[in-house]
Every structure is written in C-alpha cells, then in structure tokens.
C-alpha cells in the first residue's frame, strides 16, 4: 500500500521538473509497497539505489536551472538538497547491511520531506521561472 500519492497541486509549472517529481513519487511509492508488503526485501537495496541516483540527477537538473536563472535562493535550496542526499546516502548504506532499516517511519519522513520541499522551495523556483518566462 502506498502512503505517498502524487497530487497535481504539487506541480510547480515547469514540465520537466514536474515530471521528475512524479518519478520521485513513483520510486518512493514502490518502496512503500516493499516495506508493507510481502515482496522480497532484497529489492529494497536496488530500489533505494535507484531513488538515490534519480534524486541526484533531479537535484542536479534543478540546480542548473537555478544557476541559469540567477535564482535568488540558490544557496539555501542547494543546502536542503545536500542534507537530503546525505540522509538518503546513509540510509542506502545501512540498507545494504540490513534491508529492514527501511521501515514506515523512515518512508513517512522521506515522503514528508519531498512534499514539503516541493510545496515550498521548488514552488519558489517555479514562480521565478514563470516570471522570467514572462519577460
Ligand atoms: Fe525538486 Fe529542490 O527538489
């Protein structure tokens, strides 16, 4: 059962970024499926690695957009990305030893981080990109 579901209210108005966010949700939903279901827990390691790699890719794309558009809150936004990546990295490392570390509590934290970050920080970027496109 997935406890994370994409909601179009989370769209920031940039097609590429919105598509990438949906992919992050899909990967997280799959992890929920493994954590609460009877699927082989060995898949947790692979899926976490996928999520880790895709997150790095997505953050990199977003940060390029921020730099190109001289986004005022770049440093703050980037720091949030770095903290999240470092937590995800530590989690992926632990899961290599013991897949059961990925429990509902951690997934809830992960989901909540994604929703909050997209709703606040990424939407600020979306507004900046929209304003620039109007010029
Ligand atoms: Fe979509 Fe700032 O992460």
């Amino acid at each position: 059962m997935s406890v994370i579901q994409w909601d179009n209210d989370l769209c920031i108005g940039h097609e590429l970024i919105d598509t990438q966010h949906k992919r992050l949700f899909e990967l997280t939903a799959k992890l929920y499926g493994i954590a609460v279901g009877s699927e082989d827990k060995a898949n947790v390691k692979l899926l976490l690695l996928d999520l880790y790699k895709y997150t790095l890719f997505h953050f990199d794309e977003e940060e390029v957009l921020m730099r190109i558009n001289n986004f005022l809150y770049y440093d703050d936004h980037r720091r949030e990305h770095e903290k999240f990546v470092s937590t995800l990295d530590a989690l992926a490392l632990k899961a290599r030893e013991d897949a059961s570390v990925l429990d509902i509590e951690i997934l809830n934290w992960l989901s909540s981080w994604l929703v909050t970050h997209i709703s606040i920080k990424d939407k600020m970027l979306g507004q900046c990109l929209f304003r620039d496109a109007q010029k």
Side-chain angles (χ1 to χ4, degrees):
M1 180 191 77
S2 162
V3 195
I4 182 168
Q5 257 188 337
W6 179 257
D7 181 331
N8 280 335
D9 282 349
L10 290 168
C11 285
I12 72 158
H14 187 281
E15 201 178 336
L16 178 72
I17 298 298
D18 287 333
T19 303
Q20 291 177 0
H21 286 157
K22 284 177 196 165
R23 179 71 186 138
L24 288 173
F25 270 57
E26 281 166 16
L27 289 169
T28 308
K30 279 188 187 173
L31 282 168
Y32 266 113
I34 292 177
V36 300
S38 54
E39 251 185 87
D40 188 355
K41 297 277 187 260
N43 289 336
V44 163
K45 296 173 207 169
L46 288 175
L47 210 44
L48 260 179
L49 190 62
D50 281 351
L51 179 63
Y52 177 74
K53 285 185 190 164
Y54 196 79
T55 300
L56 285 183
F57 162 76
H58 165 65
F59 285 175
D60 193 47
E61 294 261 301
E62 227 176 60
E63 288 168 18
V64 167
L65 269 176
M66 287 188 234
R67 288 195 297 272
I68 289 173
N69 291 279
N70 295 315
F71 183 53
L72 194 58
Y73 307 103
Y74 173 77
D75 288 337
D76 173 58
H77 198 135
R78 185 153 189 258
R79 265 195 300 276
E80 274 212 4
H81 284 174
E82 283 171 350
K83 270 195 227 163
F84 185 72
V85 164
S86 135
T87 305
L88 207 51
D89 188 28
L91 185 59
L93 203 66
K94 273 190 206 161
R96 259 184 249 161
E97 308 286 317
D98 175 12
S100 67
V101 296
L102 190 85
D103 58 15
I104 293 295
E105 204 175 312
I106 287 177
L107 283 167
N108 286 343
W109 173 83
L110 208 149
S111 307
S112 159
W113 189 93
L114 280 174
V115 169
T116 306
H117 180 82
I118 293 170
S119 304
I120 300 171
K121 304 289 180 177
D122 290 347
K123 281 206 174 183
M124 285 165 72
L125 173 62
Q127 285 163 3
C128 164
L129 297 175
F130 178 75
R131 273 196 308 269
D132 284 357
Q134 304 301 303
K135 288 178 187 167

